[in-house]
Amino acid sequence: MDLKINWYPGHMKKTKELLKDQLKLVDVVYELLDARIPISSRNPSINEIIGNKPRVIILNKFDLADQEVTNRWVKYFKAQGIEAIPVNCLNSKGLKEAIEEGQKMFQEKKDLMIKKGRKERPIRIMMVGIPNVGKSSIINQLAGRKSARTGDKPGVTKAKQWIRLKGNMELLDTPGILWPKFEDQNVALKLAFTGAIKDEIMDVEDLAFRLVEKLMLENMTNLMNRYKLDSEPAGALEMMDAIGIKRGAILPGREIDYLRVSNIILDEFRAGIIGRISMEVPPKQ
């Protein structure tokens, strides 16, 4: 499968400039990554854009990832001087720690402001991350309701709105969306597996076939247990046939309903029902 999804250079440049301009208004950046694919879900330009601005990485959907691998990712980012907090955006687990980390980073600046006699203000944050990594869910959890806006701040144009969050924080609500570059087709595939690329633009059967190929190489036990298979199928097609038979996904004439089987596999992988599976491990330091 060849995913030809590309940035227009002008669009990328404009987005970078917009974010760099808005970064001047914030104290801390929260970078959202998918805990199953922390490298593939990260924009390659993010370090250049954020620069020296204090940053916290949120490894979202960690409940779907292999816990031991996620722990290794936390150590990997820590070795780079970045705190990474595993978060489950559906039940808020880990969000308290993420807030506390942001507060810790802001403390020095806050103390300096008080020393200069300036009025104490909330921490101003920005969240960056690719689509479908759970940004909206996290913002709504932190806001305690659906994106309650605080209105304009002095010196901020009307296009820039602030959302009041828990933990004495304000989020700069920005439309800036960052997509990774798809120079590496493996990156595109992993994003498609996890649902970051909409199925509507995909060949779902081909995508499921490629996912099964990968899972058979690295997570065969998960597949065998989930679909209660007695013997290991020879290949990905045979695996899809076996799952189709187990699930009754049969068309007239005893043909396998591959579209139905594909949707079952993709849905169950994305929901963590096949197991807690990480698709990327940290590179060796």
Side-chain angles (χ1 to χ4, degrees), residues 34-40 65-74 76-77 80 190 214 218-219 277-285:
D34 186 319
R36 296 166 293 180
I37 50 167
I39 297 298
S40 293
D66 182 306
Q67 191 162 356
E68 188 270 327
V69 176
T70 300
N71 293 340
R72 283 163 61 192
W73 277 112
V74 170
Y76 170 80
F77 287 118
Q80 296 180 9
K190 287 175 198 170
K214 187 169 176 62
E218 299 168 11
N219 307 93
I277 295 169
S278 293
M279 305 204 105
E280 290 176 344
V281 295
K284 286 182 177 165
Q285 301 280 10

Side-chain angles (χ1 to χ4, degrees), residues 28-264:
V28 178
V29 174
Y30 281 84
E31 182 187 359
L32 266 63
L33 305 178
D34 186 319
R36 296 166 293 180
I37 50 167
I39 297 298
S40 293
S41 59
R42 193 177 208 199
N43 187 286
S45 305
I46 202 72
N47 286 335
E48 177 202 334
I49 293 166
I50 294 176
N52 294 324
K53 186 70 71 173
R55 175 189 351 181
V56 179
I57 284 178
I58 288 180
L59 293 169
N60 196 26
K61 306 184 182 182
F62 88 95
D63 52 307
L64 304 177
D66 182 306
Q67 191 162 356
E68 188 270 327
V69 176
T70 300
N71 293 340
R72 283 163 61 192
W73 277 112
V74 170
K75 287 176 187 167
Y76 170 80
F77 287 118
K78 195 173 185 70
Q80 296 180 9
I82 305 169
E83 289 297 329
I85 314 287
V87 167
N88 176 354
C89 65
L90 297 180
N91 65 8
S92 297
K93 192 168 181 184
L95 275 183
K96 183 171 174 280
E97 289 84 351
I99 291 171
E100 286 169 356
E101 194 56 44
Q103 289 169 332
K104 205 191 298 177
M105 289 181 169
F106 181 60
Q107 192 61 48
E108 194 179 327
K109 191 173 182 179
K110 183 177 164 184
D111 292 343
L112 197 62
M113 285 164 63
I114 293 166
K115 197 175 175 182
K116 287 181 177 178
R118 286 167 63 187
K119 190 182 171 187
E120 194 177 328
R121 62 164 175 80
I123 311 169
R124 292 174 182 166
I125 68 166
M126 179 193 282
M127 281 195 190
V128 294
I130 64 166
N132 300 320
V133 82
K135 184 174 157 189
S136 299
S137 299
I138 284 179
I139 291 171
N140 290 336
Q141 290 273 10
L142 287 173
R145 56 201 175 281
K146 289 214 172 175
S147 300
R149 291 182 171 175
T150 62
D152 296 342
K153 293 283 177 189
V156 180
T157 66
K158 287 189 179 178
K160 298 183 180 77
Q161 297 279 354
W162 295 87
I163 300 169
R164 192 175 294 282
L165 306 176
K166 295 171 187 171
N168 196 28
M169 299 172 105
E170 286 182 351
L171 171 81
L172 180 59
D173 187 22
T174 168
I177 291 173
L178 290 175
W179 269 106
K181 293 174 185 172
F182 291 104
E183 287 159 1
D184 183 346
Q185 289 301 301
N186 281 325
V187 167
L189 265 177
K190 287 175 198 170
L191 289 166
F193 291 155
T194 55
I197 300 172
K198 295 287 185 189
D199 287 343
E200 288 76 21
I201 65 165
M202 314 294 304
D203 179 330
V204 171
E205 291 177 37
D206 189 23
L207 183 63
F209 181 85
R210 298 289 285 272
L211 175 60
V212 168
E213 278 186 323
K214 187 169 176 62
L215 294 177
M216 285 181 74
L217 278 174
E218 299 168 11
N219 307 93
M220 178 65 95
T221 306
N222 294 78
L223 287 173
M224 297 294 291
N225 291 343
R226 174 60 194 161
Y227 299 109
K228 298 181 171 59
L229 305 179
D230 301 320
S231 58
E232 290 187 9
L237 188 61
E238 290 80 4
M239 176 65 81
M240 291 180 80
D241 287 348
I243 293 170
I245 292 164
K246 281 284 183 181
R247 289 300 177 87
I250 312 288
L251 293 167
R254 305 283 309 156
E255 291 285 319
I256 300 291
D257 185 343
Y258 287 112
L259 181 60
R260 191 175 155 205
V261 173
S262 299
N263 282 316
I264 287 169

